[in-house]
Short mmCIF file of all heavy atoms in Angstrom, two decimals:
data_model
loop_
_atom_site.label_atom_id
_atom_site.label_comp_id
_atom_site.label_asym_id
_atom_site.label_seq_id
_atom_site.Cartn_x
_atom_site.Cartn_y
_atom_site.Cartn_z
N SER A 60 0.81 -1.21 0.02
CA SER A 60 0.05 -0.10 0.01
C SER A 60 0.89 1.25 -0.02
O SER A 60 1.84 1.43 0.77
CB SER A 60 -0.89 0.00 1.20
OG SER A 60 -1.57 1.20 1.35
N ALA A 61 0.55 2.24 -0.97
CA ALA A 61 1.29 3.42 -0.94
C ALA A 61 1.19 4.29 0.27
O ALA A 61 1.95 5.07 0.61
CB ALA A 61 0.83 4.25 -2.13
N HIS A 62 0.02 3.95 0.94
CA HIS A 62 -0.38 4.87 2.13
C HIS A 62 -0.04 4.08 3.45
O HIS A 62 0.37 4.78 4.42
CB HIS A 62 -1.80 5.24 2.10
CG HIS A 62 -2.21 6.08 0.86
ND1 HIS A 62 -2.87 5.59 -0.16
CD2 HIS A 62 -1.77 7.32 0.53
CE1 HIS A 62 -3.08 6.49 -1.08
NE2 HIS A 62 -2.32 7.60 -0.63
N ARG A 63 -0.13 2.87 3.42
CA ARG A 63 0.03 1.98 4.77
C ARG A 63 1.48 1.43 4.92
O ARG A 63 1.93 1.16 5.86
CB ARG A 63 -1.03 1.01 4.80
CG ARG A 63 -2.42 1.63 5.09
CD ARG A 63 -3.48 0.58 5.17
NE ARG A 63 -4.44 1.04 4.08
CZ ARG A 63 -5.10 0.26 3.29
NH1 ARG A 63 -5.05 -1.11 3.32
NH2 ARG A 63 -5.88 0.68 2.27
N THR A 64 2.01 1.22 3.60
CA THR A 64 3.41 0.60 3.61
C THR A 64 4.40 1.36 2.69
O THR A 64 4.97 0.74 1.80
CB THR A 64 3.37 -0.90 3.26
OG1 THR A 64 2.83 -1.03 1.97
CG2 THR A 64 2.65 -1.80 4.27
N PRO A 65 4.44 2.68 2.89
CA PRO A 65 5.20 3.36 1.87
C PRO A 65 6.62 3.06 1.61
O PRO A 65 7.27 3.05 0.64
CB PRO A 65 4.97 4.96 2.30
CG PRO A 65 4.57 4.86 3.86
CD PRO A 65 3.80 3.45 3.88
N GLN A 66 7.37 2.86 2.73
CA GLN A 66 8.72 2.33 2.78
C GLN A 66 8.89 1.07 1.92
O GLN A 66 9.70 0.96 1.07
CB GLN A 66 9.31 2.28 4.09
CG GLN A 66 9.51 3.58 4.81
CD GLN A 66 8.24 3.96 5.57
OE1 GLN A 66 7.19 3.21 5.75
NE2 GLN A 66 8.16 5.16 6.16
N GLU A 67 7.93 0.04 2.14
CA GLU A 67 8.06 -1.21 1.40
C GLU A 67 7.89 -0.96 -0.05
O GLU A 67 8.47 -1.63 -0.82
CB GLU A 67 7.03 -2.10 2.10
CG GLU A 67 7.45 -2.56 3.40
CD GLU A 67 7.05 -1.73 4.65
OE1 GLU A 67 6.60 -0.57 4.35
OE2 GLU A 67 7.20 -2.19 5.75
N VAL A 68 6.86 -0.16 -0.41
CA VAL A 68 6.64 0.22 -1.84
C VAL A 68 7.91 0.73 -2.34
O VAL A 68 8.23 0.26 -3.59
CB VAL A 68 5.37 1.13 -1.99
CG1 VAL A 68 5.20 1.60 -3.45
CG2 VAL A 68 4.08 0.44 -1.50
N GLU A 69 8.52 1.71 -1.78
CA GLU A 69 9.67 2.38 -2.45
C GLU A 69 10.88 1.40 -2.54
O GLU A 69 11.41 1.46 -3.48
CB GLU A 69 10.02 3.62 -1.65
CG GLU A 69 9.11 4.81 -1.73
CD GLU A 69 9.39 5.95 -0.91
OE1 GLU A 69 10.73 6.11 -0.54
OE2 GLU A 69 8.62 6.83 -0.79
N GLN A 70 10.93 0.60 -1.46
CA GLN A 70 12.05 -0.46 -1.58
C GLN A 70 11.72 -1.46 -2.67
O GLN A 70 12.66 -1.88 -3.48
CB GLN A 70 12.15 -1.18 -0.25
CG GLN A 70 13.24 -2.16 -0.28
CD GLN A 70 13.36 -2.87 1.07
OE1 GLN A 70 12.66 -2.57 2.08
NE2 GLN A 70 14.20 -3.86 1.09
N PHE A 71 10.54 -1.98 -2.77
CA PHE A 71 10.19 -2.86 -3.71
C PHE A 71 10.41 -2.24 -5.19
O PHE A 71 11.12 -2.88 -6.04
CB PHE A 71 8.62 -3.23 -3.74
CG PHE A 71 8.06 -3.63 -5.10
CD1 PHE A 71 8.27 -5.04 -5.37
CD2 PHE A 71 7.41 -2.85 -6.00
CE1 PHE A 71 7.90 -5.56 -6.72
CE2 PHE A 71 7.09 -3.33 -7.32
CZ PHE A 71 7.26 -4.56 -7.62
N ALA A 72 10.01 -0.98 -5.54
CA ALA A 72 10.09 -0.31 -6.78
C ALA A 72 11.71 -0.15 -7.06
O ALA A 72 12.15 -0.45 -8.21
CB ALA A 72 9.52 1.07 -6.81
N ARG A 73 12.46 0.18 -6.14
CA ARG A 73 13.98 0.45 -6.38
C ARG A 73 14.57 -0.97 -6.66
O ARG A 73 15.66 -0.96 -7.36
CB ARG A 73 14.46 1.07 -5.15
CG ARG A 73 14.30 2.64 -5.15
CD ARG A 73 15.18 3.33 -4.03
NE ARG A 73 14.99 2.76 -2.66
CZ ARG A 73 14.19 3.12 -1.74
NH1 ARG A 73 13.36 4.08 -1.89
NH2 ARG A 73 14.11 2.68 -0.58
N GLU A 74 14.11 -2.07 -6.05
CA GLU A 74 14.89 -3.29 -6.14
C GLU A 74 14.25 -4.24 -7.20
O GLU A 74 14.94 -5.20 -7.48
CB GLU A 74 14.79 -4.09 -4.84
CG GLU A 74 15.54 -3.34 -3.68
CD GLU A 74 15.34 -3.98 -2.34
OE1 GLU A 74 14.61 -5.02 -2.23
OE2 GLU A 74 16.04 -3.58 -1.44
N ALA A 75 13.19 -3.89 -7.88
CA ALA A 75 12.52 -4.80 -8.77
C ALA A 75 13.36 -5.09 -10.00
O ALA A 75 13.55 -6.30 -10.39
CB ALA A 75 11.19 -4.19 -9.22
N LYS A 76 14.03 -4.05 -10.64
CA LYS A 76 14.85 -4.22 -11.84
C LYS A 76 15.93 -5.19 -11.49
O LYS A 76 16.32 -6.19 -12.33
CB LYS A 76 15.32 -2.88 -12.43
CG LYS A 76 16.01 -3.01 -13.70
CD LYS A 76 16.26 -1.54 -14.16
CE LYS A 76 16.79 -1.62 -15.60
NZ LYS A 76 17.09 -0.19 -15.99
N GLY A 77 16.61 -5.05 -10.39
CA GLY A 77 17.77 -5.88 -10.00
C GLY A 77 17.38 -7.23 -9.79
O GLY A 77 18.19 -8.28 -9.80
N ARG A 78 16.12 -7.56 -9.51
CA ARG A 78 15.55 -8.87 -9.33
C ARG A 78 15.12 -9.56 -10.50
O ARG A 78 14.74 -10.74 -10.57
CB ARG A 78 14.46 -8.92 -8.25
CG ARG A 78 14.80 -8.52 -6.83
CD ARG A 78 13.71 -8.79 -5.89
NE ARG A 78 12.42 -8.04 -6.18
CZ ARG A 78 11.26 -8.65 -6.70
NH1 ARG A 78 11.35 -9.93 -6.84
NH2 ARG A 78 10.20 -7.96 -6.91
N GLY A 79 15.22 -8.90 -11.63
CA GLY A 79 14.87 -9.32 -12.93
C GLY A 79 13.47 -9.05 -13.48
O GLY A 79 12.88 -9.60 -14.55
N ILE A 80 12.70 -8.22 -12.70
CA ILE A 80 11.37 -7.78 -13.11
C ILE A 80 11.53 -6.83 -14.31
O ILE A 80 12.48 -6.06 -14.29
CB ILE A 80 10.69 -7.08 -11.84
CG1 ILE A 80 10.46 -8.00 -10.83
CG2 ILE A 80 9.34 -6.50 -12.42
CD1 ILE A 80 9.64 -9.22 -11.03
N LYS A 81 10.73 -7.05 -15.38
CA LYS A 81 10.81 -6.23 -16.55
C LYS A 81 9.58 -5.17 -16.62
O LYS A 81 9.69 -4.20 -17.22
CB LYS A 81 10.85 -7.09 -17.73
CG LYS A 81 12.08 -8.03 -17.68
CD LYS A 81 12.37 -8.50 -19.00
CE LYS A 81 13.56 -9.45 -19.16
NZ LYS A 81 14.71 -8.99 -18.39
N ILE A 82 8.53 -5.67 -16.12
CA ILE A 82 7.26 -4.77 -16.06
C ILE A 82 6.46 -4.98 -14.85
O ILE A 82 6.42 -5.99 -14.31
CB ILE A 82 6.42 -5.26 -17.22
CG1 ILE A 82 7.08 -5.11 -18.55
CG2 ILE A 82 5.09 -4.47 -17.31
CD1 ILE A 82 6.44 -5.88 -19.67
N ILE A 83 5.91 -3.86 -14.26
CA ILE A 83 5.14 -3.87 -13.09
C ILE A 83 3.70 -3.45 -13.39
O ILE A 83 3.44 -2.47 -14.06
CB ILE A 83 5.71 -2.93 -12.01
CG1 ILE A 83 7.16 -3.36 -11.75
CG2 ILE A 83 4.84 -2.88 -10.81
CD1 ILE A 83 7.92 -2.32 -10.87
N ILE A 84 2.81 -4.41 -12.96
CA ILE A 84 1.26 -3.99 -13.05
C ILE A 84 0.94 -3.53 -11.70
O ILE A 84 1.15 -4.38 -10.69
CB ILE A 84 0.55 -5.03 -13.56
CG1 ILE A 84 0.91 -5.42 -14.92
CG2 ILE A 84 -1.04 -4.84 -13.37
CD1 ILE A 84 0.19 -6.77 -15.56
N ALA A 85 0.41 -2.36 -11.52
CA ALA A 85 0.08 -1.90 -10.11
C ALA A 85 -1.45 -1.65 -10.13
O ALA A 85 -1.87 -0.69 -11.00
CB ALA A 85 0.88 -0.67 -9.75
N ALA A 86 -2.22 -2.22 -9.31
CA ALA A 86 -3.70 -1.99 -9.26
C ALA A 86 -4.00 -1.24 -7.88
O ALA A 86 -3.43 -1.51 -6.88
CB ALA A 86 -4.48 -3.32 -9.30
N ALA A 87 -4.90 -0.29 -8.04
CA ALA A 87 -5.26 0.42 -6.85
C ALA A 87 -6.63 1.19 -7.09
O ALA A 87 -6.97 1.43 -8.20
CB ALA A 87 -4.24 1.54 -6.55
N GLY A 88 -7.25 1.35 -6.01
CA GLY A 88 -8.66 2.08 -5.97
C GLY A 88 -8.55 3.34 -5.23
O GLY A 88 -7.54 3.70 -4.69
N MET A 89 -9.55 4.07 -5.31
CA MET A 89 -9.78 5.42 -4.58
C MET A 89 -8.66 6.48 -4.99
O MET A 89 -8.69 6.74 -6.18
CB MET A 89 -9.97 5.10 -3.14
CG MET A 89 -11.27 4.30 -2.81
SD MET A 89 -11.55 3.76 -1.14
CE MET A 89 -10.74 4.79 -0.13
N ALA A 90 -7.92 6.69 -4.06
CA ALA A 90 -6.80 7.70 -4.40
C ALA A 90 -5.75 7.18 -5.34
O ALA A 90 -5.20 7.82 -5.96
CB ALA A 90 -6.12 8.10 -3.02
N ALA A 91 -5.62 5.93 -5.39
CA ALA A 91 -4.87 5.16 -6.44
C ALA A 91 -3.45 5.69 -6.41
O ALA A 91 -2.95 5.89 -7.67
CB ALA A 91 -5.51 5.07 -7.62
N ALA A 92 -2.72 5.93 -5.48
CA ALA A 92 -1.34 6.48 -5.52
C ALA A 92 -0.32 5.35 -5.88
O ALA A 92 0.73 5.76 -6.28
CB ALA A 92 -1.07 7.08 -4.14
N LEU A 93 -0.58 4.10 -5.61
CA LEU A 93 0.40 3.06 -5.81
C LEU A 93 1.09 2.98 -7.03
O LEU A 93 2.30 2.98 -7.07
CB LEU A 93 -0.35 1.69 -5.50
CG LEU A 93 0.60 0.42 -5.60
CD1 LEU A 93 1.64 0.66 -4.48
CD2 LEU A 93 -0.13 -0.83 -5.27
N PRO A 94 0.40 3.04 -8.29
CA PRO A 94 1.16 3.06 -9.54
C PRO A 94 2.13 4.16 -9.69
O PRO A 94 3.24 4.00 -10.12
CB PRO A 94 0.16 2.99 -10.59
CG PRO A 94 -1.16 2.51 -9.86
CD PRO A 94 -1.10 3.01 -8.49
N GLY A 95 1.74 5.30 -9.24
CA GLY A 95 2.63 6.53 -9.36
C GLY A 95 3.79 6.49 -8.51
O GLY A 95 4.86 6.81 -8.82
N VAL A 96 3.55 6.06 -7.35
CA VAL A 96 4.72 5.86 -6.23
C VAL A 96 5.74 4.95 -6.87
O VAL A 96 6.86 5.11 -6.72
CB VAL A 96 4.27 5.57 -4.88
CG1 VAL A 96 5.36 5.17 -3.99
CG2 VAL A 96 3.32 6.61 -4.38
N ILE A 97 5.26 3.77 -7.26
CA ILE A 97 6.12 2.79 -7.88
C ILE A 97 6.85 3.48 -9.08
O ILE A 97 8.10 3.23 -9.19
CB ILE A 97 5.29 1.60 -8.30
CG1 ILE A 97 4.79 0.75 -7.06
CG2 ILE A 97 6.30 0.64 -9.20
CD1 ILE A 97 3.88 -0.38 -7.34
N ALA A 98 6.15 4.13 -10.01
CA ALA A 98 6.80 4.68 -11.03
C ALA A 98 7.85 5.76 -10.79
O ALA A 98 8.87 5.94 -11.45
CB ALA A 98 5.74 5.33 -12.18
#
């Protein structure tokens, strides 16, 4: 959660490429900050 686990979201996003992830699909409702914070 961009709002409830912001540090974990940022860490996930920073480390994803190094783990071999090529594309991220991020789903969110209401304020829907998650995709933008990841990007």
